[in-house]
Amino acid sequence: MTQKKPSLSANAASSAPRSSDPSKIAVSSAKASGKTSSVKIGFKTSEFIVYPAHGVGQIMAIEEQEVAGFKLELYVISFVKDKMTLKVPTPKVASVGMRKLAEADVVKKALETLTGRARVKRTMWSRRAQEYEAKINSGDLVAIAEVVRDLYRSDIQPEQSYSERQLYEAATDRMAREIAAVQKLGDSDSLKLIESQLQKGPRRATKADEPAAVEDGDVEEAA
């Protein structure tokens, strides 16, 4: 008579993950290894960071909350100028693009970018505006500097449209805040540094001049 083998279903069920939620699995794995996500990533309380969608913020605390039976670790981030507080699960840090402040060489490259020739595509403004906004929200300091450079207008140039000015100010503010945090400057000093770099660039085109570094395509005036 053939003996029946013990069923493995009970053992398999007990070893299977309880949830498919990546955040919960990541927290569970971190606890099993004896290390928390904050240690792996290296962010700590009082540190200034960059959150792509909001710019520079400061980690005020690292909290734990229980969600569906799991303890979830959260960074509590304050954006003082925006009067906003954000809580980010530590396992989600990489996916949202949260990062440390830029290194000195990246800041240098961003400032050098401001002195370059503006590159304005001859495409519809709505398309360009989307590209500028995507660069601003990318969290990439050099990409943000490109937006500042391309939308900058000197005194001899035509005034910006309302939408151009809004994007220019948003990009300049993001860049100024990060440079201020990295170089420990006041906001006004950081803005002056950006302005001085922009003025070092090639003479900007006037109404009678050809635009600098353009690409062919449909053209629509900025609204």
Side-chain angles (χ1 to χ4, degrees):
M1 185 174 179
T2 306
Q3 273 189 327
K4 289 186 178 180
K5 292 184 180 180
S7 173
L8 298 178
S9 58
N11 292 334
S14 62
S15 62
R18 294 184 182 180
S19 170
S20 60
D21 187 322
S23 297
K24 294 173 184 176
I25 293 172
V27 172
S28 205
S29 300
K31 290 175 77 175
S33 63
K35 296 180 180 179
T36 64
S37 300
S38 59
V39 173
K40 291 179 183 177
I41 296 167
F43 295 113
K44 57 184 181 294
T45 306
S46 300
E47 182 177 4
F48 285 96
I49 55 86
V50 174
Y51 190 92
H54 303 294
V56 175
Q58 186 175 22
I59 297 176
M60 306 307 294
I62 302 175
E63 296 181 349
E64 275 193 353
Q65 286 186 3
E66 190 166 317
V67 180
F70 289 88
K71 285 186 178 179
L72 188 61
E73 193 176 54
L74 304 160
Y75 287 117
V76 181
I77 307 168
S78 173
F79 299 88
V80 177
K81 192 168 182 180
D82 298 327
K83 298 179 180 178
M84 179 180 71
T85 299
L86 193 66
K87 292 187 177 183
V88 181
T90 56
K92 296 288 188 183
V93 164
S95 63
V96 300
M98 188 172 124
R99 63 170 173 83
K100 290 178 175 290
L101 292 176
E103 297 290 339
D105 60 332
V106 177
V107 172
K108 182 181 178 182
K109 184 177 180 181
L111 289 171
E112 288 173 350
T113 298
L114 298 178
T115 67
R117 185 176 295 277
R119 301 189 62 83
V120 181
K121 292 183 180 178
R122 283 186 176 276
T123 56
M124 294 180 66
W125 166 248
S126 58
R127 191 180 307 164
R128 280 188 287 138
Q130 288 179 348
E131 291 177 1
Y132 290 144
E133 192 168 356
K135 283 187 174 184
I136 293 170
N137 291 325
S138 71
D140 184 324
L141 188 61
V142 175
I144 295 170
E146 290 172 356
V147 177
V148 175
R149 177 198 65 196
D150 294 348
L151 291 178
Y152 172 70
R153 296 289 181 272
S154 65
D155 294 338
I156 63 171
Q157 289 181 281
E159 291 185 6
Q160 293 169 316
S161 68
Y162 175 77
S163 53
E164 282 180 317
R165 187 167 60 254
Q166 290 289 98
L167 286 170
Y168 173 75
E169 289 176 354
T172 304
D173 181 66
R174 289 283 180 89
M175 187 174 183
R177 284 202 227 176
E178 184 160 5
I179 290 174
V182 172
Q183 299 190 354
K184 302 189 186 310
L185 301 172
D187 289 345
S188 60
D189 289 333
S190 184
L191 286 169
K192 285 177 184 177
L193 176 59
I194 290 172
E195 180 70 22
S196 67
Q197 288 296 107
L198 287 167
Q199 291 174 0
K200 292 177 184 177
R203 184 175 68 88
R204 304 287 167 143
T206 62
K207 289 180 179 179
D209 295 328
E210 287 295 323
V214 298
E215 296 180 12
D216 292 334
D218 297 326
V219 180
E220 180 182 272
E221 291 298 321

